[in-house]
Amino acid sequence: MPAGHILTEEEISAAKKAGFAEDTQEAFRLAVQAREKKWKEALNEGWVLPKKVGKCRLQDLSQDLLSEILGWCHPVDVLHLARTAKSFRKFLMSRRSKPIWTRALSSVEGLPSVPDYIYCDEPRFVALMFTEECHECEIWKTDPVAVEEGIFPILHMDAYTRLCHWCTEFLFDVWDGEMFPEGLEAEECEFMIPRTTEPLRLDEREEAKRLGRDSDDLAIPARYHIASAETFQELYDAVLKDEDIPQFLQDEEEIWIQRKKHAQLCLEFLEEQK
């Protein structure tokens, strides 16, 4: 037995009755004998020896226990954990893990919830609100390449995404007459598609720097979020009757108004965090 072993009260009492001091080898020997006797009796009665306990890893926990633990974590911690291993990513990015994200998000005071009409799932919303990386290429604001090239992630709250200059130019496009549903005037729906007037190309950025971002002489074309335009197109194509189109446009406009209000609440939250 190890020298650092601590005797139980029963062992100390037995050693005292035998006339030995607590720290003598004889007392220790008697105590060990008494314990071994109890172990043998327990084993004879069918008691099973416990297995050796090793290191407890998160991967070894049951999904129910892991869900309970992560529900008390900050949302960005759950996001970081999802990026550490494929097993965590598979579990946390599945639909059955939605309650984990919802509970973690609800623990952040003042953070707007994610409504059902927003085309943005909880993990993406967490990345949007608590990180400063591009959602496509994952470049950071402090990345050496970003600093050298003069690019950085731009928050497109209406589109619920954060993209660097390069990815914004790729995922936002100037309206060419084919972006919106055929038969609709652009004025009927273009305001419901997230857009940006950020100077994206190098020549635009240099011109904005020379004239000033708010200069009246600076002409930057409006670029529309391609994914949102495609979603709008799909919803429009799903309308079966032409007479239902006005109601469809009215419903989409109401959703857009709610979306803008929610985006504004998110911006106010981020401003408070600064």
Side-chain angles (χ1 to χ4, degrees):
M1 299 293 287
H5 174 73
I6 300 176
L7 300 178
T8 64
E9 292 294 329
E10 293 181 358
E11 293 168 347
I12 294 174
S13 178
K16 286 183 177 179
K17 289 182 180 179
F20 296 100
E22 297 178 17
D23 56 350
T24 62
Q25 288 293 326
E26 186 63 20
F28 189 62
R29 185 182 64 79
L30 292 174
V32 171
Q33 288 180 354
R35 176 165 292 176
E36 289 178 347
K37 183 179 179 181
K38 290 181 180 179
W39 275 81
K40 289 180 180 179
E41 291 176 353
L43 290 173
N44 291 333
E45 294 175 0
W47 191 79
V48 180
L49 282 171
K51 294 182 179 180
K52 183 179 180 181
V53 179
K55 293 182 179 180
C56 178
R57 303 185 306 167
L58 282 174
Q59 291 95 326
D60 299 330
L61 299 179
S62 66
Q63 291 186 357
D64 291 340
L65 183 55
L66 187 61
S67 299
E68 181 66 23
I69 294 173
L70 295 180
W72 293 97
C73 293
H74 191 281
V76 76
D77 293 330
V78 181
L79 179 67
H80 290 161
L81 181 63
R83 295 175 174 178
T84 58
K86 290 183 179 179
S87 58
F88 287 139
R89 181 174 182 83
K90 182 179 179 180
F91 169 59
L92 291 172
M93 295 303 177
S94 63
R95 289 188 176 183
R96 66 176 181 272
S97 296
K98 181 181 176 69
I100 298 176
W101 295 97
T102 302
R103 184 176 176 183
L105 285 167
S106 64
S107 66
V108 181
E109 184 177 356
L111 177 67
S113 58
V114 187
D116 295 335
Y117 57 81
I118 299 299
Y119 306 115
C120 180
D121 56 22
E122 284 76 10
R124 190 176 184 87
F125 186 67
V126 172
L128 179 72
M129 300 300 290
F130 298 104
T131 72
E132 293 188 350
E133 64 187 9
C134 173
H135 286 183
E136 292 296 320
C137 66
E138 298 183 356
I139 195 170
W140 283 75
K141 186 175 182 179
T142 56
D143 190 290
V145 176
V147 175
E148 181 180 354
E149 296 289 336
I151 65 171
F152 51 85
I154 305 169
L155 177 62
H156 306 285
M157 186 56 76
D158 289 348
Y160 289 88
T161 188
R162 192 187 300 269
L163 302 169
C164 68
H165 286 77
W166 291 333
C167 293
T168 298
E169 187 176 359
F170 180 72
L171 297 175
F172 281 71
D173 197 7
V174 178
W175 180 49
D176 57 2
E178 299 179 358
M179 181 171 289
F180 301 110
E182 184 178 354
L184 285 181
E185 295 295 333
E187 293 78 9
E188 294 183 81
C189 56
E190 69 172 332
F191 70 94
M192 291 185 282
I193 308 298
R195 57 182 172 177
T196 181
T197 55
E198 286 284 342
L200 302 178
R201 297 195 307 267
L202 180 59
D203 60 323
E204 293 175 348
R205 297 202 302 271
E206 291 178 346
E207 186 71 4
K209 186 177 181 180
R210 185 178 68 86
L211 295 176
R213 181 65 181 85
D214 300 324
S215 172
D216 295 335
D217 297 329
L218 182 64
I220 301 297
R223 294 180 172 91
Y224 295 86
H225 189 225
I226 298 174
S228 295
E230 291 176 345
T231 299
F232 187 90
Q233 177 74 65
E234 292 174 1
L235 294 173
Y236 177 82
D237 292 341
V239 180
L240 300 178
K241 301 178 181 179
D242 292 342
E243 54 267 27
D244 294 335
I245 292 179
Q247 184 61 47
F248 162 76
L249 292 176
Q250 182 179 342
D251 294 341
E252 286 299 306
E253 183 176 355
E254 292 177 358
I255 292 175
W256 176 254
I257 293 173
Q258 297 176 21
R259 182 170 176 168
K260 291 286 288 185
K261 289 180 178 178
H262 183 265
Q264 183 60 36
L265 291 175
C266 292
L267 290 173
E268 292 174 0
F269 172 82
L270 291 175
E271 191 63 29
E272 291 178 359
Q273 300 305 303
K274 292 181 180 179

